[in-house]
Each structure stands twice: as structure tokens, then as C-alpha cells.
Amino acid sequence: MEQNRPVRKAVIPVAGNGTRFLPATKAMPKEMLTIVDRPVVQYAVDEAMQAGIEHIIFVTSRNKTAIEDYFDSAPELIATLTRSGKTTQVTQLEKMLPVAGTVSYTRQQVPLGLGHAVWCARELVGNEPFALLLPDMVSYGRQGCMAGLMELYEEVGGNVIAVEECAPEETSSYGIVAMGTSVQHGFEVTGMVEKPDPSVAPSNYYINGRYILQPEIFELLAGQERGAGNEIQLTDSMQRLAKTQSFHAHPYQGRTFDCGSKRGFIEANVAFSMLRADMRDQLSVSLPEILASHETRVQAA
Ligand code: UTP
């Protein structure tokens, strides 16, 4: 196997139903829910671009056209803003517009699971390694998670995945890796287990939604049987790929919020607001006040 071929393309699957966010997701993609003032999906695109990715491939579906419109130009809006002298907003919108031809879309016709969504990108990825970012896992740290993963990939090649520590009692909620020999930017993965009971979990490092995968994964996904939740699971094909190719893990030093869950989404909004100079001071006062008054109301009730 040829190693360390450059990773130029990133796949971002956005075809899920987002049932945990109904009713909001009845009429809008969950990836367009905002963290402060930017849609969730923008964080994944920024992270990929900062890591040197040149081309984004969205696996999308019906009722998700808002994502395509968001990454397109908006001439009428720009004209209106320009006429009103709102130059800051015009610059902001122009800066976030991807260069023409660097974003592609393909549709997953039926949401058969993450593994199937990734397989839908096979023609657009071609025969080269690719990054995969699950957009509802939003990471927050000094270095972007994908940039750290690229460093590990440059060191060891093969397949690499980002991991983060969870509380030992929470292993049954995640895909967990078994740790092998250490390398400079991480460690060898000797096994992957989906949602193990804490008593049998091989570690407390969970896969946090960032991957660099070799294209041979597509052949395995093509024949992948349905697994947990009756869905075609990416982890099942990764486990099969690990029999013939190396997997390493990069322990991410930041924190990832699962914005596909209500709790993670609210936490991400608080955390990212506190990074913003225009919001931090006010929120430092108002958030403790809200929590304290809630406490008082609960006690009074
Ligand atoms: P999730 O399982 O978190 O997304 O998949 P979901 O199915 O939309 O969420 P719930 O459980 O119904 O609330 C992780 C990522 O994989 C994509 C999702 O869009 C999300 O970005 N996905 C999932 C697909 O693209 N296709 C699928 O069939 C399943």
C-alpha cells in the first residue's frame, strides 16, 4: 500500500434525519442550526480548510438545499448590504464564500447510515485518501482537530482517527479504541469496539468524528451488511479494513461537543460564546444570574 499520499479532499455527510432535533429539523437541516451566529456545518468546513483540505464533498439529501444555498453567493443580499453601507457584513460574507469549483455535492437517496453516506462519496473521492468530518461533532481547542490528525497522518500514513477521553462509565455511548504502541503524535489502534460496557471497554478513548481513511474503505462499505440500529455502520467496515491496513489514533487536546444532541448543542453555544470578545463580558454576568434564579425558582416550586 502506498502511504502518505496527500489528503486533498474532505467528505462531510449531512444526509441524516436529525430526529433528535425535531420539530426544528422538520423544515431545516440540523447542520444549519447555529452555534452563536454560524451554522454547525461551517465549523467543520473551517476546520478542514485550516488543515489544508482543498475540496469539500457534501453527502446531502432531500430537504437540505439550505446547505447548498449557504455555501453559494448571495448577490441580492450583498447588493442590499452594500447600499446600506454595511461593509463589515459584506466582507464577512465574501470571505466565507468557497472558491468556485472547490465544493461538490452528492445525494444519499435513503439515510441507510453513516457507512452508506460515506460510500455515496466514492466517485467524487476517487482512488486517494480522504478526510471525513462528522459536522455535528464540533471541536474547540487551540489547534483544529483535523490539523492534529494531519500531523499524525504525515508521521504514520495509513488510516488515522481522532480520539478523546470520556468518563470511564460513558464508554457504552461511543466507539472505543484499544491502545497499542505509542508514536510521536498518537498511538497504534489494536481494536475498535462499538459502545462497550465499561467493564469490558479496552480504554476510555472514544472516536470523536474526525478520520483520514484510505480509499479501500469504499470496497468494504459496498458489501457492508447492516449493523447496529439496522444501519450500515462505518465502524464495521473500519474494523474489517484494520485487518489489512494500519490504524492510528490522535488524542485530541481540545474538547468536542456532540451538537447532534440537545445537551452538546447548548454547551457548544455557551462555550463558543465565551470565546467571543463581543459576548464574553455580558455572558459572564448573565449566565450565573440565570442559573442562580433558576435554582431559586426550582426551590420555590
Ligand atoms: P447521526 O446519527 O448523528 O445523525 O449521524 P442523524 O441520523 O441525522 O441524527 P439523529 O440520530 O436522527 O438525531 C452523524 C452524521 O452522519 C450523517 C448525519 O447527517 C450526521 O452528520 N448521516 C447519518 C448521513 O449523512 N446519512 C445517514 O444515513 C446517517
Side-chain angles (χ1 to χ4, degrees):
M1 185 196 65
E2 194 183 338
Q3 290 207 331
N4 296 350
R5 285 185 290 168
V7 182
R8 304 183 306 122
K9 299 177 183 175
V11 174
I12 304 186
V14 293
N17 282 331
T19 43
R20 284 170 289 170
F21 269 96
L22 283 169
T25 47
K26 183 180 168 208
M28 73 179 287
K30 75 168 171 180
E31 297 80 9
M32 290 301 293
L33 294 169
T34 55
I35 300 178
V36 191
D37 51 13
R38 299 189 317 148
V40 163
V41 67
Q42 176 82 60
Y43 290 82
V45 169
D46 289 351
E47 187 186 324
M49 291 301 187
Q50 278 159 16
I53 292 295
E54 297 164 13
H55 194 113
I56 303 281
I57 298 164
F58 287 107
V59 180
T60 176
S61 62
R62 282 187 299 286
N63 305 323
K64 299 266 182 168
T65 47
I67 298 175
E68 292 175 50
D69 292 341
Y70 176 77
F71 287 107
D72 198 358
S73 63
E76 298 85 3
L77 177 59
I78 298 280
T80 309
L81 291 171
T82 307
R83 272 199 304 277
S84 331
K86 299 200 165 153
T87 49
T88 313
Q89 286 88 341
V90 171
T91 312
Q92 187 188 36
L93 291 181
E94 284 174 347
K95 249 174 75 182
M96 56 150 280
L97 188 65
V99 176
T102 61
V103 181
S104 300
Y105 300 88
T106 189
R107 283 197 177 193
Q108 184 189 27
Q109 292 152 345
V110 186
L112 295 178
L114 174 61
H116 181 260
V118 173
W119 177 76
C120 290
R122 69 200 179 283
E123 295 286 336
L124 292 173
V125 171
N127 187 26
E128 57 181 279
F130 63 99
L132 170 65
L133 297 94
L134 307 193
D136 35 15
M137 301 301 279
V138 177
S139 67
Y140 161 97
R142 243 185 301 156
Q143 186 190 35
C145 187
M146 186 48 73
L149 207 51
M150 286 285 198
E151 288 177 355
L152 174 62
Y153 177 74
E154 276 156 29
E155 182 190 352
V156 296
N159 301 275
V160 296
I161 51 186
V163 293
E164 233 166 289
E165 284 189 79
C166 65
E169 63 275 15
E170 287 179 351
T171 57
S172 54
S173 305
Y174 298 105
I176 301 289
V177 299
M179 298 170 71
T181 321
S182 291
V183 295
Q184 191 189 346
H185 293 101
F187 55 83
E188 186 194 359
V189 173
T190 54
M192 289 174 258
V193 199
E194 203 47 61
K195 302 187 171 61
D197 188 81
S199 60
V200 293
S203 78
N204 65 332
Y205 279 111
Y206 77 94
I207 302 172
N208 77 354
R210 300 291 181 267
Y211 316 72
I212 293 173
L213 297 171
Q214 296 297 322
E216 287 75 20
I217 192 80
F218 292 124
E219 293 152 32
L220 298 170
L221 286 170
Q224 186 62 56
E225 310 226 316
R226 290 175 189 243
N230 201 28
E231 292 193 338
I232 297 173
Q233 296 288 351
L234 177 66
T235 314
D236 292 344
S237 287
M238 290 201 307
Q239 281 165 338
R240 289 164 60 212
L241 187 59
K243 291 186 180 139
T244 55
Q245 294 190 4
S246 70
F247 270 79
H248 285 83
H250 170 69
Y252 180 51
Q253 294 308 314
R255 177 171 174 178
T256 296
F257 298 97
D258 177 4
C259 294
S261 77
K262 292 188 244 308
R263 174 184 154 188
F265 176 73
I266 303 286
E267 287 172 350
N269 263 290
V270 173
F272 279 88
S273 300
M274 295 304 285
L275 287 181
R276 291 268 298 251
D278 58 334
M279 301 185 72
R280 191 172 32 231
D281 292 347
Q282 287 167 328
L283 283 178
S284 307
V285 177
S286 62
L287 285 178
E289 269 173 18
I290 291 167
L291 292 174
S293 74
H294 167 78
E295 198 55 37
T296 316
R297 268 180 226 175
V298 168
Q299 280 165 10

